[in-house]
Amino acid sequence: MSSSVALRHTRHLSTAAGAAAASSTSTTTISISKAKSKLKAEHDPDKALEIYSSVSDRYISTLSSRYAQEYTVKRLAKSHRFSDIESFLESHKNSSQITQEPYLSSIIRSYGVAGMFDHALNIYHEMDDLGTPRSAISFNVLLSACVHSKQCPPAV
């Protein structure tokens, strides 16, 4: 067995064991990777919000929850529920992590994914008021939000 096949097999076993342990402790508690899989397949925005809320409080890593947040925003955007997107993302400002640039950057990026660049720009301008430092990271995320929202001016 090659090393890559052995590694895949080991990952599969560890993931399966972790999922079995998680499902045996509680039926409503799921891992972030399971939530992302469910969010990819779920097209009902209300159910997407339920899935996200079942994992959002337990994961403090911005990166681990960023994708789940984006999938949720995508589902809401497809249903043209932009006021729900605004409420959903603005509620993240109440978190103690708001002073961390990666956390706030995920909110900016999510607004871009939803096509709401004006909101992304407003969040970027609020960074000083929220006590969040600005760097090239947040500026690049703002540019990414512009591209995702398709509101960038054409290249000259």
Side-chain angles (χ1 to χ4, degrees):
M1 184 182 306
S2 73
S3 61
S4 64
V5 172
L7 182 60
R8 258 192 313 226
H9 184 65
T10 304
R11 284 184 186 152
H12 174 71
L13 290 175
S14 66
T15 304
S23 66
S24 67
T25 56
S26 173
T27 57
T28 60
T29 303
I30 59 173
S31 69
I32 194 74
S33 61
K34 182 71 171 173
K36 288 189 288 189
S37 296
K38 284 185 166 189
L39 285 167
K40 282 182 188 178
E42 185 57 59
H43 297 286
D44 179 9
D46 292 320
K47 288 183 181 176
L49 282 169
E50 286 177 28
I51 293 167
Y52 180 81
S53 66
S54 72
V55 296
S56 64
D57 294 336
R58 295 183 292 119
Y59 291 94
I60 57 172
S61 169
T62 304
L63 186 58
S64 66
S65 63
R66 182 183 96 190
Y67 296 109
Q69 177 179 310
E70 285 183 19
Y71 288 133
T72 305
V73 168
K74 284 178 186 178
R75 295 302 174 242
L76 291 168
K78 282 189 178 218
S79 298
H80 302 284
R81 292 174 53 180
F82 299 106
S83 61
D84 289 339
I85 293 170
E86 184 176 6
S87 299
F88 173 67
L89 293 175
E90 291 295 317
S91 71
H92 286 75
K93 285 184 180 179
N94 299 328
S95 171
S96 61
Q97 294 180 334
I98 197 67
T99 59
Q100 298 171 7
E101 188 181 25
Y103 182 82
L104 192 70
S105 293
S106 70
I107 297 171
I108 293 170
R109 182 175 167 86
S110 292
Y111 272 128
V113 166
M116 301 170 70
F117 180 71
D118 53 336
H119 287 77
L121 186 59
N122 288 339
I123 294 287
Y124 181 78
H125 287 302
E126 288 179 21
M127 288 180 76
D128 288 334
D129 296 337
L130 296 169
T132 310
R134 269 193 205 127
S135 73
I137 294 170
S138 53
F139 183 71
N140 285 334
V141 168
L142 181 66
L143 291 176
S144 175
C146 182
V147 170
H148 282 332
S149 67
K150 298 176 177 77
Q151 294 184 12
C152 292
V156 179

